[in-house]
Amino acid sequence: FEFTHALCRLPAKSVTDGLRATDQGDPDPLTFVAEHAAYVSALRDAGCDVTVLPADDAFPDSVFIEDPALALNGTAIVLRPGAETRLGEAAALRPALVENMNDVIDLRTDGYVDGGDILCTDTRVLLGLSARTNQRGAEDLRPIVEALGYTLEVLQTPPEILHFKTESSLLDATTVLATPTLAGSGAFKGLNVIETAPKEEAAANAIRVNGYVFLSAGYPKTAQRLQDAGYNLKILNTSQAALVDGGLSCMSLRY
Ligand code: CIR
């Protein structure tokens, strides 16, 4: 959770076509750009040197830059996103990874892995199988992760959850924030869990960046739990990302 850099991509106008499980209306691209700008500022305030890539209209969900790649200890691993409309995002992102990160490794697989299904601690990579990430992708990722000095633990994301990290985030070396559903699945052995408050499940898509925990606005009870546990919060609006099932972790690669 200590980072010097982050990579983001501006939301495209085509974000109105972004994937979503339940339609609650399209995001408004201009409001999305404003919320994204506040997010980038917060990353900078937290001490990250942020590179913002141009919008890519060919891919409506490309603002969710965390899904096509994994940043692990300064190395970028180009993944293979599991949604058909997002598969090409990995190749489109690759040149920026080459330019900005120490090393780039391609996940060679005919399976799938979305970055949103991967939660990393200092030593462990927890990967949740989901509708976007399958066993084949996980097994092909394993040697890459192990060569970088991490263990890979393959878990099952409960079926109603889009991504493993839709409902969990790392708060510090030994603590995660998670929904009761995901915590109850037994995914977090060896870690302390702070659960989101009732009706505040969406708060779990948070991020720890250096001295701060970024939390979406609108979840006061979960915010109180985190404050009581001693975390410094930055509260950010994610109303537009939420309309297309996105949140705080999906909008940056941190390294
Ligand atoms: C999708 O369904 O792929 C996007 N609309 C949302 C992706 C959110 N990413 C994430 O949770 N890591």
Side-chain angles (χ1 to χ4, degrees):
F1 58 88
E2 284 169 353
F3 305 108
T4 54
H5 292 79
L7 198 57
C8 297
R9 189 184 287 288
L10 284 171
K13 287 197 191 69
S14 62
V15 71
T16 50
D17 294 325
L19 297 172
R20 66 208 80 171
T22 315
D23 195 10
Q24 298 167 275
D26 292 343
D28 169 48
L30 284 180
T31 309
F32 206 144
V33 165
E35 291 185 352
H36 190 264
Y39 175 77
V40 168
S41 294
L43 286 169
R44 291 189 171 129
D45 286 349
C48 292
D49 185 343
V50 187
T51 301
V52 182
L53 303 175
D56 186 347
D57 262 316
F59 298 106
D61 285 300
S62 54
V63 61
F64 302 120
I65 192 170
E66 178 182 66
D67 292 319
L70 171 66
L72 205 54
N73 210 3
T75 294
I77 303 164
V78 184
L79 300 174
R80 191 156 188 268
E84 209 179 322
T85 57
R86 304 201 61 189
L87 194 53
E89 279 181 41
L93 178 60
R94 196 177 190 287
L97 298 173
V98 169
E99 198 169 319
N100 288 282
M101 298 190 59
N102 294 340
D103 198 10
V104 175
I105 299 175
D106 295 290
L107 169 64
R108 298 200 187 280
T109 186
D110 53 8
Y112 299 98
V113 180
D114 264 21
D117 284 317
I118 303 175
L119 184 144
C120 302
T121 75
D122 294 341
T123 55
R124 300 165 64 183
V125 173
L126 309 187
L127 180 149
L129 301 177
S130 71
R132 301 288 179 84
T133 295
N134 62 14
Q135 190 77 42
R136 173 65 73 96
E139 288 315 321
D140 290 333
L141 182 65
R142 181 182 298 283
I144 300 175
V145 163
E146 289 179 351
L148 291 169
Y150 293 77
T151 57
L152 181 76
E153 294 162 55
V154 180
L155 305 157
Q156 187 64 54
T157 310
E160 65 276 21
I161 301 176
L162 170 63
H163 281 130
F164 191 70
K165 268 190 305 184
T166 306
E167 299 210 358
S168 65
S169 43
L170 188 76
L171 292 174
D172 61 39
T174 54
T175 313
V176 293
L177 173 67
T179 62
T181 304
L182 190 54
S185 76
F188 301 113
K189 292 201 177 69
L191 292 163
N192 306 315
V193 180
I194 296 179
E195 290 189 358
T196 53
K199 302 204 173 80
E200 295 192 356
E201 288 74 10
N205 191 332
I207 39 173
R208 172 75 188 268
V209 185
N210 301 327
Y212 298 94
V213 172
F214 293 12
L215 188 74
S216 287
Y219 305 110
K221 296 199 178 74
T222 304
Q224 192 62 53
R225 286 183 185 186
L226 293 173
Q227 264 160 351
D228 292 347
Y231 296 102
N232 295 321
L233 302 185
K234 269 190 195 288
I235 306 287
L236 293 160
N237 282 316
T238 53
S239 66
Q240 304 307 296
L243 291 170
V244 278
D245 300 345
L248 293 165
S249 88
C250 334
M251 294 193 289
S252 57
L253 282 169
R254 301 160 300 276
Y255 56 102

